Amino acid sequence: MNSEEYSGGGGNSTKLKACRRCEYNGKLNEDGICGNCKEEVTSKREVCTTCKHWVENNGVECTKCKYWLHKECEGLTEAGLKVAKTREVWFCKICSYKWMNDEQENAKLREELRAVKSKNTEISEKMVALEEKWSRNKDKEDPEEEERDTGTKGMCGSEPTRGERKDMDSIREEMKELRADNYSLKKTIENLEKKWDKRDEEIVRKVTERMMENLEEEREREKKRNNIIMFNVPESRKTEISEITYEDRERCEEIFQGKLGVKDAKIQRIFRIGRITTGKVRPVIMEMNEVGIKWELVKRSKKLKNNDDQVTQKIIIAPDLTKREREENDRLREELRHKRQNGGQWIIRKGKVVRMHEVVGEQE
C-alpha cells in the first residue's frame, strides 16, 4: 500500500497516511514522509535549498555544494533538467555565481603570474647572452678590475682598447641591473604563488562556512517548524511566571478557537521574548501541535482586523522565521515596493516578485 491505508472496521475506520519512502503509517510532514525519512533526506542533502522540500524525481544535484534542487526552483525546463542530469558537472545558481566570481579572480592571477614568468624568462635569456659576451671579452678587461676575477690582459697579452673597456663596463652595468630585476621578479613570483595558495584556502574556507551555515539554518528551521509569533497580545498583570504563562495560553487559545475558528489549535509551548518595558507589549512565541494548524492560523489571522474588539484588531499572527528568512522577506518587500513605484501590479509569490497577470494566468 503506497499512499494510504485504513485501520479498524465498520463505520469507525481511521484513515492513515503511508510514508512515500518507507512502510511507516502515521504522522507525516508536508512532503508526505515520516520523521526518520526527513532526517535521512536532510543528511543526504536531498532537501531543496530554495523551497526546503524534499526533492523526488524532478530535481538535480549540484556538483559543488552537493545539494539537490527542484527544476522549478532553479528555473529549469524539462529539457534543461535532462541536460543537467546527463552532464558530469552542473552548478546551481548560487554556486554558479560564486564560481564565476572565483574564476574571474583566478584568471587575473593566472594572467599576472604568466606575465611575470614570461618576463623572468626573457631576463634570464638576456643574462645568458651577456655572460657569453662577457666570456668572449674577459681577457681584454681593464687591469684595474683584477679583484673581480675577470683577467688582466687583452688577447695575445695586449692591453684592451678604450672601446673594449667601454663595452665591458656597459655589460657589467646591464648585468647588474638584470640581476636586480631577476631577483625582484623571483620575489614577485613567490608572492603571487603564496597569494594563489591563500586564495585556494579562502575558497575552501568559504565553502565550508557556507555548508555549516546551511546546516545550522536547516536545524533552526526545523526547530521553528511549528512555531508562530503573535504581536500586541496584552500582557498579564500577574507576578508568578507560571500564572503569566497560563494566562497567555488561555488568551491565545481563545483567539485561535473562538475568534478564528481553528478548534484543533493546541499550544505545546509558549513564551514571550524581550525585556519587560513600560508601555510596550512583548511578542509571544508559540509552538503549535501541528504544522498544518500553524499555517491555518496565519491564513485566518486577517479576520482579526474585522473583529469588534479593538484590542483583538491590533493582534498580528505570523510564522516564526529564522534570521535568513527574515532577511529574505525584507529583501522581497523592498523589491516589491520598488517595482510598484515604477508601475504595474506586483505581488510576492513562491519567494519571487511577479506581475499579477502572471499569477492569474497560472490559475487559469
Side-chain angles (χ1 to χ4, degrees):
M1 189 171 293
N2 295 328
S3 60
E4 58 184 31
E5 64 179 22
Y6 295 86
S7 64
N12 296 323
S13 60
T14 303
K15 185 177 180 181
L16 297 178
K17 293 184 178 180
C19 176
R20 295 160 65 187
R21 297 184 84 249
C22 69
E23 298 179 355
Y24 172 80
N25 289 275
K27 185 178 178 181
L28 309 177
N29 66 11
E30 62 270 21
D31 282 325
I33 56 179
C34 63
N36 290 335
C37 288
K38 174 68 175 178
E39 292 180 4
E40 184 178 352
V41 298
T42 301
S43 63
K44 290 182 178 179
R45 300 189 180 181
E46 295 174 4
V47 176
C48 179
T49 56
T50 302
C51 67
K52 306 306 174 186
H53 289 297
W54 173 44
V55 179
E56 218 166 348
N57 298 320
N58 60 332
V60 61
E61 182 185 19
C62 175
T63 308
K64 190 169 185 180
C65 67
K66 302 300 181 183
Y67 276 98
W68 285 79
L69 301 104
H70 294 109
K71 71 179 180 67
E72 295 85 0
C73 296
E74 281 295 291
L76 295 173
T77 61
E78 195 65 39
L81 178 64
K82 290 181 181 179
V83 172
K85 284 184 174 181
T86 56
R87 293 177 63 179
E88 292 184 4
V89 177
W90 179 84
F91 289 170
C92 64
K93 290 179 180 178
I94 295 176
C95 291
S96 295
Y97 177 76
K98 292 177 66 178
W99 178 79
M100 287 175 63
N101 287 347
D102 290 340
E103 278 298 296
Q104 290 173 0
E105 182 65 24
N106 289 343
K108 290 179 182 178
L109 285 173
R110 281 195 291 268
E111 187 62 32
E112 188 177 352
L113 188 60
R114 190 182 299 113
V116 171
K117 286 185 175 180
S118 176
K119 183 67 175 176
N120 188 51
T121 301
E122 180 185 336
I123 289 177
S124 298
E125 291 174 352
K126 195 169 184 180
M127 287 183 67
V128 170
L130 287 172
E131 285 171 354
E132 289 177 356
K133 188 176 181 180
W134 174 272
S135 179
R136 288 194 302 269
N137 293 281
K138 65 180 180 179
D139 293 332
K140 296 183 179 182
E141 188 176 4
D142 196 319
E144 295 179 359
E145 300 296 327
E146 287 183 0
E147 66 275 13
R148 296 178 185 242
D149 193 27
T150 56
T152 58
K153 296 285 185 180
M155 294 182 66
C156 301
S158 62
E159 293 291 335
T161 65
R162 182 179 298 178
E164 288 173 335
R165 284 198 298 270
K166 187 176 181 181
D167 191 27
M168 295 298 289
D169 290 340
S170 174
I171 292 175
R172 276 197 297 270
E173 286 299 320
E174 192 168 356
M175 287 188 68
K176 183 178 178 181
E177 292 176 2
L178 286 173
R179 286 194 181 99
D181 288 344
N182 197 40
Y183 177 79
S184 176
L185 283 172
K186 285 181 179 179
K187 286 296 181 182
T188 303
I189 291 173
E190 289 177 5
N191 292 334
L192 281 171
E193 288 174 342
K194 287 179 182 178
K195 188 177 180 181
W196 188 276
D197 293 339
K198 186 177 180 180
R199 178 150 185 85
D200 286 342
E201 292 174 2
E202 184 69 12
I203 291 172
V204 172
R205 184 185 64 79
K206 286 182 178 180
V207 171
T208 304
E209 286 180 356
R210 176 70 176 176
M211 289 168 56
M212 296 303 296
E213 287 173 2
N214 287 339
L215 289 173
E216 183 61 32
E217 175 70 13
E218 188 61 35
R219 283 194 291 265
E220 188 68 12
R221 291 192 182 190
E222 187 62 27
K223 182 180 176 181
K224 295 174 176 284
R225 182 167 174 263
N226 292 359
N227 287 9
I228 60 173
I229 183 168
M230 291 180 67
F231 300 91
N232 303 323
V233 178
E235 294 207 39
S236 171
R237 295 183 179 180
K238 306 285 186 179
T239 56
E240 293 292 331
I241 294 178
S242 58
E243 293 178 346
I244 295 173
T245 302
Y246 177 80
E247 191 170 313
D248 282 343
R249 183 188 296 270
E250 288 291 307
R251 181 180 284 112
C252 291
E253 287 189 345
E254 169 58 27
I255 292 173
F256 299 156
Q257 299 174 12
K259 308 291 186 183
L260 299 178
V262 184
K263 302 298 182 182
D264 295 333
K266 299 293 180 183
I267 298 173
Q268 304 294 333
R269 191 166 61 101
I270 181 172
F271 58 93
R272 290 188 182 260
I273 56 174
R275 295 181 179 180
I276 299 176
T277 306
T278 304
K280 289 187 179 181
V281 180
R282 294 176 297 161
V284 186
I285 292 182
M286 283 159 284
E287 180 184 358
M288 304 309 299
N289 49 327
E290 292 182 16
V291 67
I293 297 292
K294 160 191 170 177
W295 289 114
E296 188 65 26
L297 291 171
V298 173
K299 181 180 177 181
R300 297 192 186 188
S301 63
K302 296 178 182 178
K303 295 181 179 180
L304 297 177
K305 293 182 180 180
N306 301 324
N307 197 272
D308 296 334
D309 183 15
Q310 292 184 354
V311 175
T312 305
Q313 290 176 7
K314 297 178 181 179
I315 293 176
I316 299 172
I317 302 176
D320 184 20
L321 304 177
T322 65
K323 181 181 178 181
R324 185 184 293 182
E325 288 175 319
R326 292 195 299 272
E327 290 173 349
E328 178 63 15
N329 280 357
D330 291 342
R331 185 192 67 77
L332 286 172
R333 283 195 291 268
E334 180 62 24
E335 183 181 349
L336 178 65
R337 183 188 65 79
H338 180 71
K339 288 193 173 183
R340 283 180 174 175
Q341 284 179 347
N342 292 334
Q345 293 181 318
W346 299 83
I347 63 170
I348 296 175
R349 181 176 174 84
K350 295 181 179 180
K352 297 179 181 178
V353 179
V354 297
R355 287 187 181 274
M356 182 70 77
H357 68 78
E358 295 177 3
V359 177
V360 174
E362 288 179 8
Q363 293 173 349
E364 292 177 353

